[in-house]
Amino acid sequence: MSTSYRRRILAGAGALTLALGGVAGLTGTAQAATKTTTIFMDCDAPAPQTDGSGNQDFTITLPDTAKAGDTVPVTIDPGPSPLVPAFAVTTENTTKITFVGVPGQPITVTSPKETVTVTPGVPLDAKPFTANLTIPDGTEGTTIDFKMDLAVTVANLGGMDYVTTCTPQPRPSATVGSIAVEALPKDPVTTKLSPNSGGPNTAVVATGANFPPGAVTCAASLAGVDTGDTGTGTADASGAASCSLTVTKKADKIRIGSTAGKPFSYIAPVEGVPHPVDIEVLPGPLALGPTAGLPTLDFGAITINGKKQSVVGAFNAATVQDFRGGTLGWDLTVTRTPFLNSSTGHSLAAGLGIQPSCTVTNPDSPSPCVAGAPGAITDVPLKVASQAAGGDDLTGGEFAVGGGAMIQLPAFMFADTYQSVVTFSIA
């Protein structure tokens, strides 16, 4: 079987290619309200399960009121699905429900895993579950009408995920529940210290957010006990606060008001002759490897039998090294070429899926990495892993990105050898 590799490096981005081959042969809330809504769902199921549509009852329990920024519980009972299974199997299922209520800010809640024994001819009926959702910022004094935008069931069988996506018609659905958001600001918070280190007589400006307009005070503390160093400042009409104080004693935190505060590194003076020492730390690369590409993923030989077939495998892990020494994040995406035999001209209408994984390989890495959602690999980039930007915190590290692979074959095809090239890219 032939093997194909390629690699490209763009400005700020990298790409890694893998050849694929195969032979076809609740926080402080008020009362909660419960509402049941009947929604017509149009469901797209993975082969060999046929698609289906029909009415489904969703019973939603939400708190009556909350504050912007609060994390509150939502209880969902999905009711019997419009899909009727045609075969018996036992899977580990996860349900993901996406709501819309505030334009541009969808909220997804996820159930715990549930062991499901499927009975042919009996609609699936997922158990009720409780998850958390966060009330979006900027909603103070409004009522959020939650509408269902998407319902996704991820069934794990033999280490592979099979995804069923159900879309309400119309999309989004009618209102399934409402929360009245209190006309109160979020809790105050100290956001930054400038500078965040120094010795005696260091002047520090502490900034914060969500404070009532007017005067504020700030204070330094050590091991939770105030040192006596205090200062004053003001908060503007938007709630942004600024407060100045001078550090005269050892401290490990500085706060505005009664907030948790931000860490401060106290540098104690040392008697003697000062001798400054400077070091310049240069940024390293954001790299994707190995440079020669990954080995061929061979799905082996499949015999045509007049039925759709699925074969599972595993992608070899690509390495990610982020040595930039900053606060930047990255996204790793994957695309592929069609399954072809360039000699015979035959093409294979096969579906290729990935269940992504991302692990930290260097324990000193300052950042975690997050695996993307399982999905189909096509010519449209699919995000399979990412590292979030750090804001004021350091990011970077060393990671391994791979995951489970599944190829779905049609019932009939030319008996031939086919190959596709999967390309991992980072930016």
Side-chain angles (χ1 to χ4, degrees), residues 87-93 114-119 155-159 162:
F87 50 88
V89 69
T90 298
T91 59
E92 292 285 333
N93 287 9
E114 175 189 358
T115 300
V116 175
T117 299
V118 177
T119 302
N156 186 275
L157 176 63
Y162 298 86

Side-chain angles (χ1 to χ4, degrees), residues 215-240:
V216 297
T217 60
C218 48
S221 63
L222 177 65
V225 178
D226 286 358
T227 65
D229 291 335
T230 61
T232 59
T234 58
D236 63 19
S238 71

Side-chain angles (χ1 to χ4, degrees), residues 258-315:
S258 59
T259 65
K262 299 291 284 185
F264 180 83
S265 296
Y266 183 81
I267 303 173
V270 178
E271 296 293 334
V273 179
H275 188 161
V277 176
D278 291 340
I279 181 171
E280 182 181 11
V281 179
L282 301 176
L286 173 63
L288 177 65
T291 57
L294 291 166
T296 296
L297 172 55
D298 191 347
F299 280 105
I302 300 97
T303 301
I304 298 169
N305 62 6
K307 298 179 181 178
K308 295 180 179 179
Q309 299 183 69
S310 297
V311 184
V312 298
F315 286 101

Side-chain angles (χ1 to χ4, degrees), residues 19 21 27 61 76 100 112 172 186 195 227 237 247 261 286 313 337 343 373 405 413-414 427:
T27 58
T61 301
I76 304 171
V100 294
K186 296 184 299 179
T227 65
V247 174
L286 173 63
T337 61
S343 298
M413 68 208 100
F414 279 106

